């Protein structure tokens, strides 16, 4: 076993991946310093602008379960969902999942991970946290990272190991691209989104959404809403639309927003307050980026993980699941190679890059993008599922059941679903710029 008791691991990014990693590393005996450009979430009101519900299945939940008591703490602020209701043109369809899905607001997840971390490791010599500072660059020769604080002051810190968990626009990754020949492709997906908050019930109008289901609705065109129940009878979600065809381009006032909902989805109109209609109008639109890299490490000292290494479209809800799984995987490799980072990091790249590339394909091509495939998609979701139950040897589960109800590696899910994935890919080549009809609808 290599003695790592004196090593300092600097983590850039206090998102789900960075914070869970800190839990694992501190348990191993490392010293950890975390830096994040956002304010300390314990000291500011929750940011409603860039918040959305995250659903975690097997992969993400198992990574949380690796730290005793952590999932239980998170579950206090979560709702366990049994599946999804699809709402479309006044009709609903229920898709049950085999195993409950943990749904939680992204910022709440971060807050609980952070609170648990400081409660467990109060000694500042072992864990230090610095917020309001933006990573500016990495110098691998001197093993330093530079930051700029909110007041404009710059400072540098030394690291023994450096982990970039700083999201899709990672600065650590940018340094590896600029200085160390990392190949990375970064693309915008057509989707953009705004956070949205609805009531779950409207007793006056006799409207009530099932409390333990995710609700997904197609608003027509490319627009769709994905809502997860939150503790306290609120629904929290993302209003997703094609950035080039935003419904908000034609909505100028609160009344326009209310009319839009009334025309497309009256049930949801009755759950939308006037205040939220106004807030929705004012909330900024966020764009979504995907990231594909050919490796996730440099030498034996620098690693990137989570969205920094492999951001994907949220269409099948696996970004956070896979980010948390990265951490569990890294921990297993540290066990296997007795904390020898010179062996662990290349192994991590070798094993996780293939998974990340498979996840990218699954995220891009699981949903049909052409109207011609939509019918087949729903048949596979419903009839196909029954056929698999009756004749398991002849009919394999559909891609969503493999992603959401098993812990198979993404590369294996892709292998078993290659026929469907290729079909969607081909249809996209045949029909460029199609409607993304049902993305996000079946989590
Ligand atoms: C609308 C939507 C819905 C989603 N739904 C799901 C879902 O249901 N299930 C699921 O598994 N995934 C989902 N995802 C994806 C999920 O949110 C991400 O995959 C996950 O948050 C990745 O975690 P992370 O810690 O790697 O990165 P992030 O969550 O992006 O955290 C990165 C952190 O780094 C900090 N940072 C960034 N740059 C710097 C810098 N230069 N210096 C210092 N700090 C920096 C940021 O402030 C942030 O705190 C969804 C995403 C979206 C947009």
């Amino acid at each position: 076993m290599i003695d790592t008791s004196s090593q300092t691991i600097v983590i850039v990014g206090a998102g789900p991946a960075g914070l869970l990693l800190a839990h694992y590393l501190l348990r191993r005996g490392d010293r950890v310093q975390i830096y994040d450009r956002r304010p300390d979430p314990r000291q500011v009101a929750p940011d409603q602008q860039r918040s959305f519900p995250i659903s975690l299945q097997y992969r993400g939940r198992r990574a949380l379960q690796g730290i005793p008591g952590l999932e239980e703490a998170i579950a206090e602020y979560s709702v366990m969902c049994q599946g999804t209701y699809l709402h479309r043109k006044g009709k609903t369809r229920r898709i049950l999942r085999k195993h409950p899905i943990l749904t939680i607001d992204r910022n709440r997840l971060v807050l609980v991970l952070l609170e648990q971390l400081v409660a467990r490791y109060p000694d500042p010599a072992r864990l230090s946290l610095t917020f309001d500072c933006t990573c500016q660059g990495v110098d691998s020769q001197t093993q330093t990272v530079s930051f700029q604080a909110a007041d404009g002051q710059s400072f540098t810190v030394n690291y023994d190991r450096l982990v970039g968990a700083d999201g899709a626009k990672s600065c650590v990754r940018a340094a590896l691209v600029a200085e160390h020949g990392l190949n990375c492709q970064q693309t915008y997906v057509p989707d953009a989104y705004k956070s949205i908050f609805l009531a779950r019930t409207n007793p006056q109008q006799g409207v009530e959404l099932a409390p333990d289901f995710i609700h997904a609705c197609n608003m027509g065109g490319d627009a769709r809403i994905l809502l997860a129940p939150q503790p306290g009878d609120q629904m929290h979600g993302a209003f997703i639309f094609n950035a080039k065809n935003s419904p908000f381009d034609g909505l100028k006032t609160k009344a326009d927003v209310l009319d839009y909902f009334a025309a497309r989805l009256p049930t949801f109109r009755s759950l939308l307050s006037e205040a939220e209609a106004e807030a929705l109008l004012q909330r900024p639109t966020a764009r979504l980026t995907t990231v594909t890299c050919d490796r996730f490490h440099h030498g034996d000292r620098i690693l990137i993980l989570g969205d920094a290494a492999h951001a994907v479209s949220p269409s099948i809800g696996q970004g956070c699941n896979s980010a948390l799984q990265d951490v569990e995987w890294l921990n297993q490799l540290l066990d296997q190679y007795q904390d020898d980072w010179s062996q662990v990091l290349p192994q991590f790249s070798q094993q996780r890059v293939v998974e990340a590339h498979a996840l990218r394909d699954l995220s891009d091509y699981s949903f049909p993008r052409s109207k011609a495939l939509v019918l087949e998609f729903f048949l596979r979701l419903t009839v196909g599922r029954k056929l698999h139950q009756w004749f398991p040897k002849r009919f394999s589960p559909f891609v969503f059941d493999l992603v959401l109800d098993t812990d198979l590696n993404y590369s294996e899910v892709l292998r078993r679903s290659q026929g469907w994935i290729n079909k969607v890919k081909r249809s996209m080549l045949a029909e460029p710029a199609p409607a993304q009809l049902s993305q996000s609808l079946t989590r």
Side-chain angles (χ1 to χ4, degrees):
M1 167 86 72
I2 289 187
D3 178 18
T4 56
S5 56
S6 58
Q7 78 173 356
T8 298
I9 301 184
V10 169
I11 300 175
V12 182
L19 290 171
L20 184 66
L21 177 65
H23 276 275
Y24 274 92
L25 292 176
L26 283 157
R27 195 179 59 173
R28 302 190 74 80
D30 295 314
R31 281 199 311 255
V32 171
Q33 296 178 1
I34 304 180
Y35 297 85
D36 198 288
R37 70 171 175 204
R38 293 189 200 191
D40 185 339
R42 292 166 299 175
Q43 288 170 13
V44 293
D47 173 8
Q48 295 215 320
Q49 311 239 323
R50 292 281 158 84
S51 182
F52 42 82
I54 282 191
S55 50
L56 297 177
Q57 302 87 17
Y58 262 138
R59 300 174 187 81
R61 291 185 60 191
R62 201 183 47 210
L64 296 174
Q65 287 158 6
I67 302 294
L70 196 53
E71 195 194 34
E72 288 79 351
I74 290 166
E76 279 183 38
Y77 299 91
S78 317
V79 173
M80 288 295 179
C81 288
Q82 309 307 318
T84 304
Y85 269 96
L86 309 181
H87 303 257
R88 191 160 182 251
K89 292 183 180 165
K91 292 190 186 145
T92 56
R93 188 191 296 254
R94 193 176 71 157
I95 312 254
L96 279 173
R97 289 274 139 240
K98 265 195 199 149
H99 304 282
I101 305 161
L102 184 154
T103 61
I104 184 166
D105 170 77
R106 186 249 174 223
N107 293 341
R108 174 60 72 177
L109 172 65
V110 163
L111 183 58
V112 181
L113 284 168
L114 179 61
E115 285 174 343
Q116 286 288 315
L117 195 63
V118 289
R120 288 163 193 237
Y121 301 98
D123 178 0
R126 292 215 52 214
L127 167 67
S128 84
L129 292 150
T130 313
F131 290 95
D132 286 312
C133 61
T134 302
C135 177
Q136 302 282 297
V138 177
D139 184 336
S140 60
Q141 294 296 317
T142 55
Q143 288 175 223
T144 52
V145 199
S146 53
F147 293 93
Q148 186 171 51
D151 62 5
Q153 296 287 322
S154 296
F155 64 97
T156 59
V157 297
N158 293 84
Y159 65 84
D160 294 311
R161 317 279 172 198
L162 171 67
V163 181
D166 48 343
K169 295 182 180 152
S170 168
C171 173
V172 176
R173 186 188 69 233
L176 296 188
V177 170
E179 306 291 334
H180 301 292
L182 179 88
N183 277 318
C184 170
Q185 253 190 332
Q186 210 178 335
T187 44
Y188 274 121
V189 292
D191 294 329
Y193 78 94
K194 284 186 184 227
S195 300
I196 181 168
F197 301 84
L198 299 184
R200 192 181 64 76
T201 65
N202 181 334
Q204 282 87 27
Q205 298 191 21
V207 174
E208 176 169 1
L209 298 182
D212 52 354
F213 277 80
I214 293 168
H215 293 267
C217 25
N218 203 312
M219 304 296 279
D222 296 340
R224 57 211 182 270
I225 296 180
L226 188 72
L227 289 167
Q230 299 294 294
D233 256 3
Q234 289 297 305
M235 302 295 291
H236 178 191
F239 189 150
I240 304 172
F241 47 87
N242 189 318
K244 289 194 179 144
N245 184 21
S246 166
F248 291 94
D249 289 348
L251 306 177
K252 302 293 175 221
T253 65
K254 173 175 77 178
D256 292 343
V257 176
L258 294 168
D259 289 348
Y260 173 86
F261 273 77
R264 282 157 202 260
L265 215 63
T267 316
F268 282 60
R269 160 66 187 91
S270 62
L271 303 171
L272 174 70
S273 70
E274 293 201 8
E276 175 58 15
E278 179 65 37
L280 186 61
L281 208 53
Q282 304 307 331
R283 232 169 254 143
T285 296
R287 288 297 309 264
L288 298 165
T289 321
T290 60
V291 169
T292 310
C293 299
D294 65 346
R295 63 189 152 93
F296 296 156
H297 77 287
H298 172 66
D300 61 353
R301 294 196 185 273
I302 307 181
L303 178 69
I304 51 174
L305 46 68
D307 274 12
H310 48 74
V312 288
S313 135
S315 62
I316 56 169
Q318 289 302 298
C320 193
N321 280 281
S322 64
L324 301 179
Q325 197 184 40
D326 279 349
V327 175
E328 189 198 15
W329 209 291
L330 178 67
N331 187 58
Q332 280 167 7
L333 288 171
L334 286 166
D335 281 347
Q336 186 179 345
Y337 292 101
Q338 303 184 313
D339 292 277
D340 180 353
W341 284 62
S342 68
Q343 295 198 65
V344 167
L345 295 196
Q347 276 300 323
F348 185 86
S349 278
Q350 194 183 328
Q351 297 178 20
R352 289 305 279 170
V353 165
V354 62
E355 294 306 314
H357 290 183
L359 176 58
R360 169 85 198 260
D361 269 5
L362 292 169
S363 301
D364 284 352
Y365 304 119
S366 289
F367 281 100
R369 309 268 177 145
S370 75
K371 286 190 177 159
L373 280 181
V374 170
L375 181 63
E376 179 175 345
F377 172 75
F378 280 109
L379 282 174
R380 283 180 184 250
L381 265 184
T382 49
V383 181
R385 203 181 232 204
K386 285 265 169 286
L387 288 173
H388 170 66
Q389 279 165 9
W390 294 330
F391 311 105
K393 287 197 180 133
R394 261 196 87 196
F395 295 92
S396 64
F398 192 33
V399 58
F400 292 96
D401 295 333
L402 293 174
V403 169
L404 302 174
D405 279 336
T406 76
D407 65 349
L408 287 174
N409 287 345
Y410 295 118
S411 53
E412 179 58 18
V413 175
L414 182 64
R415 192 187 68 73
R416 295 191 194 186
S417 311
Q418 200 72 67
W420 171 252
I421 296 292
N422 287 346
K423 219 174 208 187
V424 175
K425 232 186 235 184
R426 278 198 302 273
S427 76
M428 288 174 69
L429 290 175
E431 293 183 41
Q436 297 184 350
L437 190 66
S438 305
Q439 281 211 13
S440 299
L441 287 188
T442 56
R443 278 190 233 166

